[in-house]
Amino acid sequence: HTALSRRYVLCEVVSEDPRCRQCIEDRALGLAVRDAIARVHGDYGLACCSISFTVKYLNAYTGTVLLRCRKDSYRLLCSALPFVRHLESRAQRYPCFLNTLHVGG
Amino acid sequence: NILTVCFSVGYSAVALNHVIDFKEKKQEIIKPVSPAELFPSLPIVQGTSKRIKVLTRLTLIVSDPSHCNLLRSTSANIRLYDIIAVFPKTEKLFHIACTTLDVDLVCINVTEKLPFYFRRPPVNMAIDRGIYFELLYTPAIKDSTMRRYTISNAISLMQICKGKVSSQSENKPLELRGPYDVANLGLLFGLSEGEAKAAVSTNCRATMLHGETRKSACGVVYTVKKPRKVEEEETAVPACKKAKTQT
């Protein structure tokens, strides 16, 4: 009987351009994070992290994002987060970075 | 601008870096900019009630032994900086920096194939003197080739200096990363979780204290009794003044 353990990573989107907040939506964020994981950890990393990966909550006004992943792959996810450099949505791309605030179970 | 980002991201102390490259002509060490002039009132660290510390730091890029004379001279301006870092470009200078130079940090360029190999004796000596090694993490974020070089050089650096490392960011505000994320980068560079967190917190604090002891010419500022780890190789302790800071 294996318990399905998950890790929740709380981060905030930091950007110089206030229009970046428009891009804070689950699809754009999910793509940006997945792309960062693929760049840093390759196909293996992306495949591991994709199990149970989802953007659980986000608030475009405060720029807060809650990501969820499996306990086994949270290190792959967390080590790839510094490599997110921009958010893209509706053909608009704004440079930004993610600041990890807390990781919880 | 970058400082506002630093403050908002949760750093409790920031050092303003002034870089001097001796390859260029006519390099003079000027007095550091006083943080009080830049920030009439410093913001408070997130989550506490203390104010953010802003320190001044000098980085000397040395490619020739004659450049080090500046450090040995009793130039008044050099003493005004809180932290002094040196960036050696040759193996001989790396050796001198680790063993004799009065600095707090030795910067290592991890973005290219290193022109020299690290040897254990000077590295151990530097660790005993309380000097930490530093690498820049921003190139790894920007470019894929840089990332590969950074990670492989960082891993070999970590293996040899037992994780006594701190990290540095470059100038652009969007290339900065928060403390938690820099610690995560440490995991990629081969540090354990505890070492990675230390690289952003305790090691930096130790460097600050090391700078303070250097400025005030005392031997010890802060002592806490701690069980000493047994080192495999016994290295000769240098006869010169040893500033020991352990937190």
Side-chain angles (χ1 to χ4, degrees), chain B residues 89-158:
Chain B
K89 289 287 195 185
T90 69
E91 175 154 19
K92 197 155 193 277
L93 283 166
F94 177 75
H95 190 275
I96 295 174
C98 292
T99 49
T100 53
L101 280 186
D102 199 9
V103 293
D104 308 307
L105 287 172
V106 174
C107 303
I108 309 284
N109 181 18
V110 286
T111 57
E112 301 166 331
K113 191 163 178 335
L114 289 172
F116 53 84
Y117 286 113
F118 300 122
R119 292 185 303 113
R120 223 169 246 280
V123 169
N124 284 346
M125 214 179 247
I127 295 175
D128 281 338
R129 290 173 66 210
I131 296 179
Y132 284 86
F133 298 92
E134 185 191 67
L135 55 86
L136 205 60
Y137 62 78
T138 352
I141 295 179
K142 286 194 286 199
D143 177 62
S144 165
T145 324
M146 291 288 120
R147 194 175 312 142
R148 290 180 203 155
Y149 278 131
T150 307
I151 294 184
S152 50
N153 286 334
I155 291 182
S156 53
L157 175 68
M158 302 307 164

Side-chain angles (χ1 to χ4, degrees), chain A residues 6 9 22 33 44 60 75 78 93:
Chain A
R6 297 201 179 118
V9 180
Q22 299 164 7
V33 173
Y44 169 76
R75 273 170 208 259
C78 286
R93 173 192 278 209

